[in-house]
Amino acid sequence: MSNETKRDVFDAVWNRLAGYQVFFNGWPRETSDGYKKRYDAALPDDLPVIPEAVGCMITKMKPICKSILDSQYRDYGKDHRWIIDHYDTFARAWLLGVWRVEETGEIVKLEAEK
């Protein structure tokens, strides 16, 4: 297993290809740099996938809870079992503040705190 990130591999390939004029022939330099900026700002490919009801809970609870532990003793009703069974996915969605809705495939992103 490597300690390289996906970004490290991307940068290595990018830098290697940047030396070949054929690759960038006809591209304005700002266009290719724009793709790097888009890559930097893009969401991860492996977003957590959670039910819509659980996403609604995160949306309501995260602004008022100091941590995920503050929320663990609340009554989640029928979705409590899903959270317990998928605690790792729930935790990733909570920490990232972004997830994919299981039922629709929609990406939900919490607004940054101001």
Side-chain angles (χ1 to χ4, degrees):
M1 178 174 258
S2 170
N3 286 337
E4 273 186 318
T5 64
K6 289 182 182 183
R7 180 62 199 208
D8 293 334
V9 175
F10 176 84
D11 283 339
V13 171
W14 185 264
N15 292 332
R16 176 77 173 180
L17 292 175
Y20 296 102
Q21 288 300 316
V22 173
F23 182 74
F24 289 111
N25 191 19
W27 283 21
R29 187 66 194 170
E30 59 273 7
T31 301
S32 57
D33 288 341
Y35 283 117
K36 285 185 80 172
K37 288 177 185 171
R38 280 179 57 194
Y39 184 88
D40 287 339
L43 296 171
D45 292 328
D46 59 346
L47 289 175
V49 177
I50 63 175
E52 187 172 13
V54 174
C56 287
M57 283 187 248
I58 293 174
T59 302
K60 290 177 184 174
M61 292 171 14
K62 189 162 181 181
I64 59 174
C65 296
K66 292 180 180 150
S67 77
I68 196 170
L69 297 176
D70 288 347
S71 65
Q72 74 180 350
Y73 297 109
R74 299 179 196 257
D75 181 13
Y76 297 115
K78 64 180 179 158
D79 298 307
H80 188 90
R81 184 84 243 156
W82 186 95
I83 293 169
I84 291 169
D85 292 343
H86 302 91
Y87 64 89
D88 53 340
T89 304
F90 177 79
R92 285 189 65 232
W94 179 282
L95 293 172
L96 290 173
V98 64
W99 58 86
R100 187 176 303 275
V101 177
E102 186 175 58
E103 295 86 349
T104 65
E106 173 191 11
I107 293 176
V108 176
K109 188 175 182 182
L110 294 178
E111 296 294 321
E113 294 182 24
K114 295 181 181 184

